Amino acid sequence: MLGPTPFRDICLVAGFELREMLRSRRAVFVIALYLLVAALFTYGFVQVLERVNEVAKNPAALVTGSNPSANGPGGRGRNRGPVFAPSPADKPSQGILVTPNSPFSRLIFSGVQDPATKDFLVRQPPIVLFYTLASLFFTPLLILLTTSETIAQEHQSRGARFIVLRTGKLEFALGKLAGQGLLMALVTLLAGGMCLVIASWKLSDFELGPAISSTLIFWPRIVAYGLPFLGLAALCSMNSSAAIAARGFAVFGLGTLFYLHYLAGLATDQSVLTNVLGALDYLTPFSHWADLWNASAAQVWNAMMLLAGLGVLYTGIGLVFYRRRDL
Amino acid sequence: MALSLRGVGKSYGKIQALDGLDLDVPRGSIFGLVGRNGAGKTTTFAIACGFLRADRGSVNVLGAGPFDAARHRGRLSALPQDAALGRDLTLYEQLSYLGRLQGVPRHEIRGEVERILHLVDLSDRAGTRTRTLSHGMLRRLGIGQAFLGQPELVLLDEPTNGLDPNQAHSIRDFIVAQRGTRTIVVSSHNLPELETMCDHVAIMDGGRVVRSGPISQVTGRNEEVHIVLADGPVPLAQTQAALAGDTVEWDASARTLRVSFSSRPGRQAEDVIGAALRPLLEAGARISSVSRGQSLERTYLAMPALPPELPKQGRN
């Protein structure tokens, strides 16, 4: 007999989990649904881009305001009529007009507020920014729907008993979590691929090479953002005896974290409560969301490490209780 | 001892499942665990395997303390009651996964899985998904996984439950063939089956062991002889005279002559049977059967019920 190690066991459990998930009809359905949603949303977004380009090529078609001259390259365009009139220097790129004063730039600027980040983002293909935005919204939901059940399901069927007799609860739970993490990473990457396929199919001037590079820049950020949600799902799954209870527990946990983040955003004074809320907000993934869009690689790296740390924290809390739990 | 529990208690809320359980399972034995539903058999297994934590008492598995995956890896295995394997992978994949976790080296896993599949007569199903198996096949797969690698102690919770007679027979034969090579603890409600397989037995009730020991001792194989007579003469006086010093009782309803004796060197059950049959045959009695002791089933049924103050509920 070999001397099994915890790392080897975690890899074995993760590999088995991944293989089992990819074979199960339910998981395949969830993945297919995710890709279908990605395809439909991308298609809708591409339709919007096409419309924007169309208007850009024929500005007269949309210039209906009372003061068209106010909407030139240097104009703010706010409350002053149409916003899509380009300057002669503007050129369509990646399916949309991307210039410092294009509507897309102004949209990003309004969300980001930081000029350096805005400059970084306007250089990215819009379809990739759309993919990132949609993934940051949907990936936590996907994780909560699938990962939150995975260990609890094994408790419910008592299948976990076959495993924990051969390896520790820690290896079992971490292996399951690693398998789910790999699946999440795979699904988000496939969704990115789906977005690019549809964009290259529908957009005549779409450049695939830069879009792939950009996707590979943002994909790790999406994965990092998913880690705390994986940890939360694992915490709930480890400490539930039934799949449905674990899912309910996870949804409640997500709601609690979001509400905490919301409360922290409301508090503006310098009271103790505000400071406490601010500290607690730091422990929610939502407070690190904006940093993932940052132009600075160092800041993005920090945010990703913090998010990974939150994943470890949530998982660790779950394991503390799980070790003492009857199966 | 392969397994030793001392004063183990476990409750589920207000239900006391184990109440000061003392149990010793000798190494190399095939050990039967008997008891009604709720007696605490499955809880005992779950505590031995580390699935549940005892509220009190001590547990010693294979001389290395309570179960710990790191300490006992590959040494203990079990067929847990009502536990289901995953449904979407093949039998080969399931067993190779469990075997690898058990510690079987990668280059040996194929041979090991084939051995187990042959053992439980599922070789022709190696490539099919678990979801397609019948209840009996799943049961056999569960038994098979418990013998992956070389476990020293195997706990089987109702292993032949749901198997057809042929399958149950082959599983019994396999278990008996393991005698002396490893310790096997079998929980079952099928007492004749346990009697044919086991050399030791413990009878549980109310979360305690109420009787345990070698099966010959528990069933009185070296203390009693039962002779069943067909219609005809019953020479009771002659038999009592021939077995002076032993107790001879006649149960008219069962037409059974029960001889209670003290076993000692030079006077075993076989000697008592010879001494009892001689006067019976000479008097023309018609003998239907002769047995040593009473069956495990009769022993179990003849046991006095627990006093009412003892708890009788628990998770089985």
Side-chain angles (χ1 to χ4, degrees), chain A residues 1-2 4 8-9 12-13 16 19-20 23-24 157-159 161-168 324 326-327, chain B residues 10 49 51-53 67 69 73 77-78 82-86 88-89 93 97-98 100-103 129 145:
Chain A
M1 297 285 167
L2 284 176
R8 192 206 70 150
D9 284 2
L12 276 172
V13 176
F16 187 81
R19 196 187 306 181
E20 196 170 36
R23 291 271 189 88
S24 81
S157 70
R158 296 194 179 180
R161 293 186 170 194
F162 290 112
I163 313 301
V164 297
L165 205 56
R166 294 172 162 96
T167 187
R324 303 178 56 79
D326 284 345
L327 284 180
Chain B
K10 178 71 182 175
C49 293
F51 304 146
L52 303 177
R53 293 185 313 142
F67 177 79
R73 185 190 303 272
S77 69
D82 299 333
L85 286 161
D88 294 304
L89 294 181
E93 289 169 322
Y97 168 55
L98 294 176
R100 294 280 289 127
L101 285 177
Q102 181 92 5
R129 290 191 187 201
Q145 63 78 35

Side-chain angles (χ1 to χ4, degrees), chain A residues 147-165:
Chain A
T147 307
S148 63
E149 290 190 353
T150 184
I151 299 173
Q153 186 72 51
E154 297 276 0
H155 296 155
Q156 194 170 345
S157 70
R158 296 194 179 180
R161 293 186 170 194
F162 290 112
I163 313 301
V164 297
L165 205 56

Side-chain angles (χ1 to χ4, degrees), chain A residues 34-302:
Chain A
Y34 192 83
L35 295 182
L36 181 68
V37 169
L40 290 176
F41 272 69
T42 306
Y43 187 79
F45 183 68
V46 163
Q47 295 290 96
V48 172
L49 291 186
E50 281 186 321
R51 176 69 183 145
V52 169
N53 278 344
E54 196 178 297
V55 171
K57 286 170 186 168
N58 299 292
L62 204 73
V63 177
T64 55
S66 57
N67 186 9
S69 63
N71 298 293
R76 303 286 296 174
R78 188 178 299 158
N79 300 324
R80 287 187 293 169
V83 295
F84 294 119
S87 74
D90 287 345
K91 66 180 182 66
S93 170
Q94 297 293 316
I96 192 168
L97 275 176
V98 182
T99 62
N101 291 297
S102 72
F104 186 72
S105 303
R106 286 199 293 274
L107 178 70
I108 290 175
F109 190 68
S110 68
V112 173
Q113 301 297 334
D114 173 40
T117 300
K118 186 201 78 170
D119 290 343
F120 165 70
L121 293 179
V122 295
R123 288 198 303 274
Q124 308 303 321
I127 192 73
V128 175
L129 298 182
F130 172 75
Y131 152 69
T132 307
L133 189 66
S135 295
L136 291 179
F137 178 76
F138 283 112
T139 304
L141 298 177
L142 172 75
I143 290 169
L144 290 181
L145 286 178
T146 55
T147 307
S148 63
E149 290 190 353
T150 184
I151 299 173
Q153 186 72 51
E154 297 276 0
H155 296 155
Q156 194 170 345
S157 70
R158 296 194 179 180
R161 293 186 170 194
F162 290 112
I163 313 301
V164 297
L165 205 56
R166 294 172 162 96
T167 187
K169 282 181 179 174
L170 181 81
E171 290 88 339
F172 168 64
L174 291 182
K176 284 270 186 189
L177 190 59
Q180 291 289 322
L182 288 172
L183 185 71
M184 183 266 288
L186 180 69
V187 171
T188 51
L189 189 62
L190 287 175
M194 179 68 81
C195 289
L196 298 187
V197 166
I198 289 178
S200 57
W201 168 46
K202 293 297 292 180
L203 296 173
S204 55
D205 55 349
F206 185 74
E207 295 173 37
L208 188 59
I212 290 175
S213 303
S214 184
T215 300
L216 293 178
I217 288 173
F218 281 95
W219 174 65
R221 305 175 191 207
I222 296 167
V223 173
Y225 189 65
L227 294 178
F229 298 98
L230 269 177
L232 175 66
L235 185 159
C236 300
S237 199
M238 279 187 269
N239 294 290
S240 302
S241 299
I244 192 161
R247 189 185 286 183
F249 189 15
V251 169
F252 176 76
L254 179 70
T256 303
L257 288 178
F258 187 77
Y259 190 61
L260 196 62
H261 176 67
Y262 174 72
L263 283 181
L266 288 181
T268 53
D269 58 359
Q270 293 300 312
S271 66
V272 174
L273 180 63
T274 301
N275 290 329
V276 169
L277 280 174
L280 290 176
D281 184 31
Y282 204 67
L283 298 177
T284 72
F286 306 110
S287 67
H288 307 287
W289 188 90
D291 292 335
L292 293 174
W293 300 92
N294 211 293
S296 159
Q299 285 202 23
V300 172
W301 178 254
N302 282 345

Side-chain angles (χ1 to χ4, degrees), chain B residues 53-82:
Chain B
R53 293 185 313 142
D55 296 337
R56 62 178 190 279
S58 66
V59 180
N60 193 342
V61 181
L62 295 166
F67 177 79
D68 178 271
R71 280 200 304 268
H72 292 95
R73 185 190 303 272
R75 299 180 67 196
L76 169 68
S77 69
L79 168 67
Q81 193 186 52
D82 299 333

